[in-house]
């Protein structure tokens, strides 16, 4: 018999080939139908980003007159300060000239000053020697170079500007150059993975008391502009700022915060709005100072930083390669779209020629071509009448040590400088945490929980011991479904509680035969093991774009930043999920009148604690290997803790010990408590902290087993 190709494929592949050829309407898999859980968190954030994008667009559409533009500019400036933590107090700069050297057309002074008391800034002042003062002043801001102001392309640009008649102040940003705050013991470079980490590690600690790395960075720039503008050789009416990469972004921050700038050039800065068209979750999250928390709900985004500068001259320089080589896939599309919106503002102010965009095909960096654009833009607007140049003045990078203000190349070692960590720790000690938590729902920015959530059963099977296992899910928010395992005991042991078990690794870690879930169910417990957003099966899918960007952003921290920017902290999302899970358990027919207990480990102890504070039906709480307190985290320079559990301004409203104490008289077990460095604390020390809380039991070890958990679940444990 001769077979057709289709018949042959059908027989050899068990009908697979034929089935593949059926239309989509014919395809209907009859078995367990799981949804695409990795889409839940990205889809939720995409909805928030789209709402923020439309909200801002509606506001910008009103900017048709100079009066409305001025109102928007004032709103941007005040909103910026609200978002970053507020203005700081101007204190004496106390500048000192440390050393210097002379070159044919300029001289360099190595200076040091204090943006805040004891918080030193190392800087180089480039002074022209072949033209007459007063000079236009340029504040040069660094990208994320490990050696700060000594990076070769930045030196060249400063030298070139000085030879063209500009007095230039170049200073080390937070965590770079001589201001490296986590220096390697054997040298001057950071012991952290990158300069970005020098910004973000302390930046996350600042959030807990309501401050931000953005506030610290822009204040350094403002005080540096104070020094530059007051210099006797500078014309204070002709001040400008420029910088590349992170320095371009810092120029944007300064433009929003300070109206003294007469012109600016942003080179390869983060000119991508976060809530943009075609949002690619988790979006363009970056290091701490570039992420504006809660900006989405108020319709503020990165391009708003430039609106207060209008109609003053602004040049935006972009690397066309950055949309896949450095930043996200939306970098160019979003930047160009927002540039057109800003262009309309300049047109309404009759200053179209004051705004321009120039790109380069070269990679991210302050290349020769971009430096020429900076020179000519500032010559045009700050030294009118000067000729356009086609070649850079002769430049050559100096040895790094010649630009140091300190003998050791580090201000901590040479001047005992304050650091972002020490400043934040001191300020945190002035923050009083109330003994009882305030508005937890408001603190966590939680969505309303479903009124009567119910499980959707996806499948049910029996185990070898007779325990039934249900695969279930419950909807907790728009586009979000939480999957869980329910282990239903053979007998109706109504005295045994419903147990909700929360693992940082997710629900699939201990489901197997002979593992914890089955053991507890075999003893008569109804066991629920659930994932929450970002955990287990709800871990998000990879974003689109170049591998470097996608890999970096496919982690919990990027999604935590995105959630904070969009006004929906990941901690609040997870507590919302858990509230729906608990309420669905109460509606499950097998739960009956069983009490509900919750056991959590590691980082899941924080959402579990907030859950218990909000849900009185949680009768007992076991917290294993959890963090002692966020105040301890602020006191720990080398901490190890995920951003997913951070809430801005948390310590002004509550902390973990206060939450645990507030649960009285419900029993709480703290087992194997850890400090912020991930080290196990002495149980007696922890007991002393809770000496007046009789409902709190402290155990030296986290025993995550039937023998360790069951006594606490039933109330049979002894201290």
């Amino acid at each position: 018999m001769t077979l057709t190709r289709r018949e042959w494929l059908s027989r050899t592949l068990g009908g697979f080939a034929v089935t593949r050829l059926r239309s989509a309407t014919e395809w209907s898999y009859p078995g367990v139908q799981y949804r695409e859980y990795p889409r839940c968190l990205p889809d939720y954030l995409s909805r928030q980003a789209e709402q923020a994008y439309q909200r801002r667009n509606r506001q910008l559409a009103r900017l048709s007159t100079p009066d409305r533009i001025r109102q928007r500019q004032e709103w941007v400036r005040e909103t910026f300060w609200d978002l970053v933590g507020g203005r700081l107090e101007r204190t004496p700069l106390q500048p000192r000239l440390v050393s210097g050297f002379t070159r044919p057309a300029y001289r360099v002074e190595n200076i040091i000053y204090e943006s805040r008391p004891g918080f030193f800034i190392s800087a180089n002042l480039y002074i022209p020697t072949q033209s007459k003062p007063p000079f236009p002043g340029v504040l040069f801001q660094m990208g994320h170079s490990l050696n700060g102001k000594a990076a070769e392309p930045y030196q060249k640009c400063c030298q070139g500007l000085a030879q063209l008649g500009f007095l230039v102040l170049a200073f080390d940003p937070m965590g770079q150059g001589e201001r490296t705050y986590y220096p390697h013991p054997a040298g001057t470079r950071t012991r952290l993975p990158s300069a970005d980490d020098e910004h973000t590690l302390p930046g996350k600690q600042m959030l807990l008391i309501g401050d931000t790395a953005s506030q610290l960075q822009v204040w350094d720039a403002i005080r540096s502009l104070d020094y530059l503008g007051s210099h006797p050789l500078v014309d204070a009416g002709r001040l400008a700022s420029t910088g590349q990469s992170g320095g371009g972004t810092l120029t944007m921050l300064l433009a929003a915060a300070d109206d003294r700038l007469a012109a600016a050039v942003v080179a390869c800065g983060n000119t991508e709005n976060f809530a943009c068209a075609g949002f690619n979750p988790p979006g363009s999250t970056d290091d701490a100072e570039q992420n504006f928390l809660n900006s989405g709900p108020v319709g503020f985004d990165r391009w708003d930083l430039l609106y207060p500068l209008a109609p003053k001259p602004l040049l935006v320089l972009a690397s066309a390669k950055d949309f896949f080589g450095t930043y996200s896939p939306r970098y160019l599309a979003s930047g160009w779209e927002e540039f057109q919106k800003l262009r309309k503002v300049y047109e309404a102010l009759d200053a179209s020629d004051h705004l321009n965009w120039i790109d380069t095909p070269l990679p991210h960096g302050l290349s020769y071509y971009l430096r020429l654009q900076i020179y000519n833009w500032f010559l045009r607007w700050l030294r009118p009448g000067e000729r356009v140049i086609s070649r850079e003045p002769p430049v050559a990078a100096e040895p790094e040590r010649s630009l140091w203000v300190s003998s050791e190349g580090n201000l901590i070692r040479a001047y005992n400088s304050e650091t972002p960590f020490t400043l934040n720790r001191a300020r945190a000690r002035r923050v009083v945490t109330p003994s009882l938590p305030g508005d937890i729902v408001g603190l966590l920015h939680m969505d309303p929980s479903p009124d009567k959530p119910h499980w959707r059963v996806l499948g049910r099977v029996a185990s070898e011991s007779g325990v039934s296992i249900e695969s279930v899910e419950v909807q907790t928010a728009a586009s979000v479904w939480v999957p869980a395992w329910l282990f239903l005991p053979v007998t109706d042991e109504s005295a045994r509680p419903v147990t909700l078990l929360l693992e940082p690794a997710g629900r699939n870690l201990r489901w197997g035969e002979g593992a914890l879930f089955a053991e507890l169910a075999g003893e008569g417990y109804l066991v629920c093991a659930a994932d929450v957003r970002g955990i287990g099966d709800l871990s998000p899918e990879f974003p689109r774009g170049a591998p470097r960007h996608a890999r970096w952003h496919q982690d919990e921290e990027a999604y935590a930043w995105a959630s904070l920017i969009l006004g929906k902290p990941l901690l609040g999302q997870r507590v919302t999920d858990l509230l729906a899970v608990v309420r669905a358990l109460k509606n499950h027919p097998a739960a009956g009148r069983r009490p509900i207990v919750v056991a959590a480990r590691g980082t899941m102890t924080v959402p579990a604690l907030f859950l218990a504070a909000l849900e009185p039906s949680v009768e007992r709480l076991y917290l294993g290997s959890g963090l002692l307190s966020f105040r301890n985290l602020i006191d720990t320079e080398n901490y190890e803790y995920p951003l997913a559990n951070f809430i801005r301004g948390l310590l002004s409203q509550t902390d973990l010990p206060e939450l645990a104490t507030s649960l009285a008289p419900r029993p709480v077990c703290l087992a194997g408590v850890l400090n912020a460095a991930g080290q196990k604390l002495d149980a007696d020390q922890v007991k002393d902290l809770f000496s007046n809380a009789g409902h709190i039991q402290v155990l030296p070890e986290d025993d995550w087993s039937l023998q360790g958990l069951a006594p606490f679940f039933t109330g049979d444990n002894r201290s």
Side-chain angles (χ1 to χ4, degrees), residues 408-437:
E408 301 179 59
N410 187 272
L411 298 185
I412 303 174
R413 294 168 180 162
Y415 291 92
N416 195 30
S417 175
E418 296 277 9
T419 70
F421 166 73
T422 61
L423 289 173
N424 191 66
R425 181 179 59 186
R427 178 153 146 61
R429 288 172 180 169
R430 300 192 294 271
V431 175
V432 177
T433 302
S435 57
L436 293 175

Side-chain angles (χ1 to χ4, degrees), residues 23 124 129 173 248 266 270 284 295 297 317 325-326 346 392 486 544 577 584 586 592 601-602 613 641 668 691 700:
S23 68
N124 304 130
T129 57
V266 175
N270 196 345
S284 55
S295 57
L317 300 175
T326 303
Y346 272 78
E392 184 175 47
L486 294 185
R544 303 181 304 279
D577 292 343
K586 292 162 64 177
R601 298 193 88 188
Y641 204 71
V668 177
S691 58

Side-chain angles (χ1 to χ4, degrees), residues 120-274:
F120 292 98
I121 293 181
S122 43
N124 304 130
L125 192 67
Y126 293 77
I127 304 174
T129 57
Q130 293 187 341
S131 53
K132 295 181 179 180
F135 305 114
V138 176
L139 186 66
F140 193 95
Q141 306 208 61
M142 308 300 149
H144 294 172
S145 52
L146 290 174
N147 57 347
K149 63 188 182 306
E152 180 173 338
Y154 303 155
Q155 284 196 56
K156 288 181 176 180
C157 195
C158 293
Q159 294 170 9
L161 285 167
Q163 293 177 73
L164 293 170
F166 298 91
L167 192 147
V168 183
L169 180 64
F171 68 98
D172 281 328
M174 160 189 177
Q176 297 168 235
E178 295 181 86
R179 298 180 73 199
T180 298
Y181 296 121
Y182 303 84
H184 193 279
T188 60
R189 297 291 188 261
T190 181
R191 63 179 182 267
L192 304 181
S194 70
D196 290 25
D197 295 279
E198 284 267 347
H199 301 176
T200 299
L201 190 68
K204 291 187 289 190
Q205 291 171 310
M206 295 175 199
L207 299 181
L208 295 172
I209 60 172
D211 291 340
T212 65
S214 311
Q215 177 198 50
L216 186 151
Q217 294 260 52
V218 77
W219 192 250
D220 282 351
I222 288 172
R223 298 315 317 277
S224 297
L225 196 64
D226 287 346
Y227 177 82
L228 179 64
S230 63
H231 196 281
L233 298 178
V234 166
D235 178 358
R238 290 185 291 162
L239 296 177
S241 178
T242 189
Q244 189 265 338
S245 188
T249 306
L250 292 178
T251 293
M252 295 167 67
L253 267 63
L254 184 61
D258 200 309
D259 62 4
R260 290 175 292 174
L261 293 182
V265 179
V266 175
C268 303
N270 196 345
T271 50
E272 174 181 9
N273 267 8
F274 184 80

